[in-house]
Each structure stands twice: as C-alpha cells, then as structure tokens.
C-alpha cells in the first residue's frame, strides 16, 4: 500500500523524441517518480525519449525512485555541461524578447544551411558524436538490462523504411544513438551490418511493444510534439520544419487510429473470443507551451531553457495526476475518435490490446 490505503497503479509510459524538448519529459518523469501511487511497468521511447528511458531504467534497477530521479538529473546535467561551449545560442534580440528559438542566431542559421547542402558523411567523416560519449559515460547498460522497468527503444531501418524495436536485454549505447540519429546531422548507425536512422520516423514512440508484452492496459503518452499548429507556414525553413513535424507524428497517429478501429470492432461485438483487450490511453502534454516553440529550439540547450521545460513538465504531470490519475485502470482520458473527426486536437478513447504472444523484437 502507498499513501496509507492507496494501492499503486501499474502503467506504461510512451516517450516521444524531440531534442532538447526531451527536458519536458524529464520533468514529467521526475514528478511521476515522486508519487508512490504510480508504478511504471514499461517505457517505450524514441530519440530523446530513448535517452530518458535508459537513464530512468538504470537508476530504477533496484526499484529506488530517488535513484531513478537522480539518474535522470545526472544525465541532463551532463547534457548541459557538454553543451556549455556550443555556439548554438539565442541571438541577443531573442534573449531580450524572452524567446527560446534560435532562428535569428547566426551560428544556427549557418548550421542549418550547411546541413541542408552537405551530407554528414562529408561534414563529419570521422563520425564524431559527443552525445554518444555522454551516453556511454552516464548510463550503466548492465543496470538497464537488470532494471525493474521494461524498456523498448525504436529506430528506423534505413534499407526497409520499417521500425525496429529492441528490448532492454540487448541495449547498448549504439542502440540509443541509432534511435536518435537524424540523417542530416549524423551518419547512419550500423548495428549488425544494418544502418539505422531516428526512430521518430516510424514510431514516435512505437506503441505495439506495450500491447504485446505488458500486463498493464494503461499507456501514458508524454507528448512533446504538437499535433496541431494553426495556419500554414510561409517561409522555406518553417515549411520544412512543419513537414518534419508531420512526418514524426504520422506513425503515432497511425497507431492511434488502428487502436480506435479495434475498439470499434469490440464495441460492435465482432472480436469476442479473439483475445483482444482494450487499451486505455492517457496523455501528459502542454500544448500551449510546446506549440509556441519553433523547431530550432530543439537545439537550444541553454540551462535556462532546459530548466523552463523541466518545470513545465512537472506542472503538466501534476495536473494529470490531479485530474486524470483516478481513471487509470478504468477508462481512457484522451479522445482519439474526436482527434480524427477533427472536433478537437486532444487524444482520448477506449483502446485495446492484441492477444499476448511471443514479443516481437524485430521488424
């Protein structure tokens, strides 16, 4: 028992990728780990979500919530320390106006232009990646593999264009870097001779491992990529950024639509005796804060920005615990059906789970 007479509720977390915006997810995780009513069974993540997942799992190897929080904090402090000398910072005008985007930063403008004109195989022939060194230094993958929490990391097979998911038993720093490999910034990460790019292209994050291998029927999506942005972008950079955002959301929307379709079949009584079960979907998000941020802010690793995102993540988790936690285990708190009907831009609905079977660790 926790909190006197409250039994912890088992749930799964789905962590999206989004560069520095992953600090929002860090804030969410920090607040959830504080609450003894929350019991995390599994985490699925891509890109920055994958990094948060392995950092938490390593700290939570012995079921110690405080150690898991400390591991996440250590990882993000490492990111800040590594980025201390980065030239990618806001322009004085942006700083004066209180914005967080890098669009007016001369270093970012040059960086953005060069990466659109030249391949990472030309710009970085030795394939140097300080972030990989950071992951190797700060994440104990032996502890990840022994962790109380199940972990699923997704990447995109460059040759087939399909998602590939690894569970914690086989995870290394290379798998995490494959999940976070943006092709215009880094060379493809090869694992057993197969090249991989960012997992966000085909699963941001991949949900199906939670359906097939987990006991809990509740999936909590930590959403850092807004699905809806009012109006059409007009500048070349904004158009490309919105195309990328749509691409990274497409796989998630596809999974949600499929889940709602199965729900409709169950409601119609057409799947009786098949072993399918409802999945209950929840979302922790802050559309107002995150939709106001441009794509360039995903490269902003200034301490003030990371602290702001962390704080908003904690606030979003606190709000979810106050308003939606009581429904865990009983009903969904996002409306998937309305999302696809265009009635609003939230996520919700009663979902289900395919029959349990042998986990699919590959495509």
């Amino acid at each position: 028992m926790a909190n006197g007479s409250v039994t912890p509720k088992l749930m799964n977390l789905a962590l999206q990728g989004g560069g520095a915006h992953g600090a929002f997810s860090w804030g969410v995780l920090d607040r959830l780990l504080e609450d003894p009513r929350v019991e995390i069974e599994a985490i699925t993540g891509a890109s920055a979500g994958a990094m948060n997942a392995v950092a938490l799992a390593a700290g939570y190897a012995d079921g110690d919530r405080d150690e898991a929080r400390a591991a996440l904090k250590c990882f993000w402090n490492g990111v800040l320390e590594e980025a201390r000398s980065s030239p990618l910072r806001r322009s004085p005008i942006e700083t004066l106006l209180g914005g967080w985007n890098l669009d007016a930063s001369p270093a970012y403008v040059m960086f953005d232009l060069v990466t659109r004109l030249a391949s990472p195989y030309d710009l970085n022939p030795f394939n140097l990646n300080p972030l990989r060194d950071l992951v190797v230094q700060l994440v104990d993958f032996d502890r990840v593999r022994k962790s109380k929490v199940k972990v699923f990391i997704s990447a995109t097979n460059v040759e087939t264009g399909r998602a590939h998911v690894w569970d914690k038993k086989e995870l290394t720093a290379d798998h995490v870097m494959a999940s976070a490999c943006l092709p215009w910034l880094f060379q493809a990460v090869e694992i057993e001779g197969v090249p991989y790019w960012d997992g966000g292209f085909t699963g941001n994050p991949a949900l199906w491992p939670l359906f097939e291998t987990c006991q809990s029927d509740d999936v909590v999506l930590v959403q850092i990529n807004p699905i809806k942005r009012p109006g059409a972008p007009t500048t070349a950079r904004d158009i490309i950024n919105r195309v990328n955002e749509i691409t990274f959301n497409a796989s998630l929307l596809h999974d949600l639509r499929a889940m709602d379709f199965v729900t409709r079949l169950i409601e119609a009584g057409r799947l009786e005796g098949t072993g399918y079960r409802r999945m209950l979907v929840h979302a922790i998000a802050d559309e107002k804060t995150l939709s106001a941020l441009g794509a360039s802010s995903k490269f902003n690793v200034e301490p003030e920005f990371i602290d702001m995102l962390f704080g908003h993540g904690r606030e979003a988790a606190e709000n979810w615990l106050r308003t939606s936690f009581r429904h865990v285990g009983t009903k969904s708190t996002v409306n998937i059906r309305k999302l696809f009907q265009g009635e609003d831009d939230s996520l919700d609905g009663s979902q289900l789970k395919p029959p349990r079977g042998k986990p699919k660790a590959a495509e």
Side-chain angles (χ1 to χ4, degrees):
M1 294 289 182
N3 287 353
S5 60
V6 179
T7 302
K9 292 185 177 182
L10 197 64
M11 64 186 68
N12 302 309
L13 302 181
L15 307 181
Q16 289 193 309
H21 294 187
F24 176 87
S25 299
W26 168 32
V28 170
L29 297 173
D30 189 72
R31 179 63 188 91
L32 293 180
L33 287 166
E34 273 187 349
D35 197 319
R37 299 173 302 165
V38 174
E39 186 68 31
I40 302 171
E41 180 182 8
I43 304 175
T44 180
S47 199
M51 296 182 187
N52 277 324
V54 295
L56 184 151
Y60 206 42
D62 301 319
D64 189 320
R65 295 169 182 268
D66 290 336
E67 191 172 349
R69 294 177 64 203
L72 282 163
K73 183 176 181 180
C74 179
F75 178 79
W76 280 95
N77 283 342
V79 171
L80 291 174
E81 184 63 31
E82 187 67 39
R84 190 178 296 276
S85 59
S86 172
L88 299 180
R89 295 183 176 273
R90 290 174 293 167
S91 67
I93 293 178
E94 191 74 48
T95 302
L96 183 64
L97 295 175
W100 299 108
N101 296 330
L102 303 179
D103 296 332
S105 164
Y108 176 78
V109 171
M110 180 60 67
F111 164 79
D112 185 53
L113 177 62
V114 169
T115 56
R116 296 188 192 282
L117 296 177
S119 159
Y121 293 85
D122 300 321
L123 297 174
N124 186 9
F126 297 106
N127 202 24
L128 302 177
N129 189 340
L131 192 56
R132 185 188 186 283
D133 298 335
L134 187 68
V135 171
V136 170
Q137 177 186 349
L138 297 180
V139 178
D140 186 338
F141 282 91
D142 285 335
R143 288 179 62 83
V144 172
R145 288 186 281 272
K146 298 174 183 175
S147 182
K148 181 180 180 181
V149 178
K150 299 175 183 176
V151 179
F152 304 98
I153 301 302
S154 61
T156 302
N157 184 319
V158 178
E159 296 175 335
T160 67
R162 298 168 60 188
H164 189 108
V165 177
W166 298 281
D167 66 24
K168 66 181 181 181
K169 295 178 182 178
E170 51 191 334
L171 286 182
T172 66
D174 285 338
H175 296 91
V176 176
M177 299 319 299
S179 182
C181 180
L182 292 172
W184 49 89
L185 299 182
F186 304 110
Q187 297 181 23
V189 177
E190 288 200 8
I191 298 175
E192 297 181 353
V194 179
Y196 292 97
W197 282 341
D198 196 294
F201 291 115
T202 49
N204 196 21
L207 299 182
W208 60 260
L210 304 179
F211 307 157
E212 299 191 349
T213 65
C214 296
Q215 176 184 347
S216 173
D217 292 330
D218 289 88
V219 177
V220 181
L221 171 67
V222 181
Q223 185 184 359
I224 61 175
N225 291 293
I227 290 176
K228 182 177 180 180
R229 285 189 184 273
T234 56
T235 68
R237 179 185 296 140
D238 288 344
I239 290 170
I240 293 173
N241 289 338
R242 183 54 180 157
V243 168
N244 289 333
E245 196 169 54
I246 291 171
T247 301
F248 272 66
N249 278 328
S251 57
L252 173 64
L253 293 173
H254 176 272
D255 287 349
L256 293 173
R257 183 183 288 275
M259 292 166 67
D260 184 61
F261 176 70
V262 177
T263 297
R264 291 170 184 265
L265 293 179
I266 285 184
E267 291 174 348
R270 297 174 62 182
L271 293 179
E272 293 182 6
T274 62
Y276 281 80
R277 301 200 308 175
R278 294 181 183 275
M279 292 303 296
L280 308 178
V281 181
H282 316 273
I284 300 177
D286 185 344
E287 287 277 341
K288 181 178 179 181
T289 297
L290 294 173
S291 63
L293 300 173
S296 64
S297 68
K298 294 180 180 181
F299 295 93
N300 185 347
V301 285
E302 297 176 44
E304 298 83 2
F305 183 52
I306 298 301
D307 287 346
M308 183 276 288
L309 290 170
F310 173 79
H312 278 283
R314 281 187 57 88
E315 290 175 10
E318 177 66 37
N319 181 62
W320 181 79
L321 287 168
R322 185 176 62 255
T323 62
S324 302
F325 177 78
R326 65 181 180 273
H327 299 301
V328 171
T330 58
K331 69 175 185 178
S332 293
T333 55
V334 264
N335 198 328
I336 296 175
R337 211 159 292 180
K338 286 186 177 181
L339 170 66
F340 290 107
Q341 291 172 347
E343 295 178 7
D344 65 32
D345 60 339
S346 62
L347 304 173
D348 186 353
S350 300
Q351 295 328 341
L352 40 144
K353 169 182 236 182
R356 302 181 192 274
K358 184 177 179 181
K360 297 178 181 177
E363 301 151 28

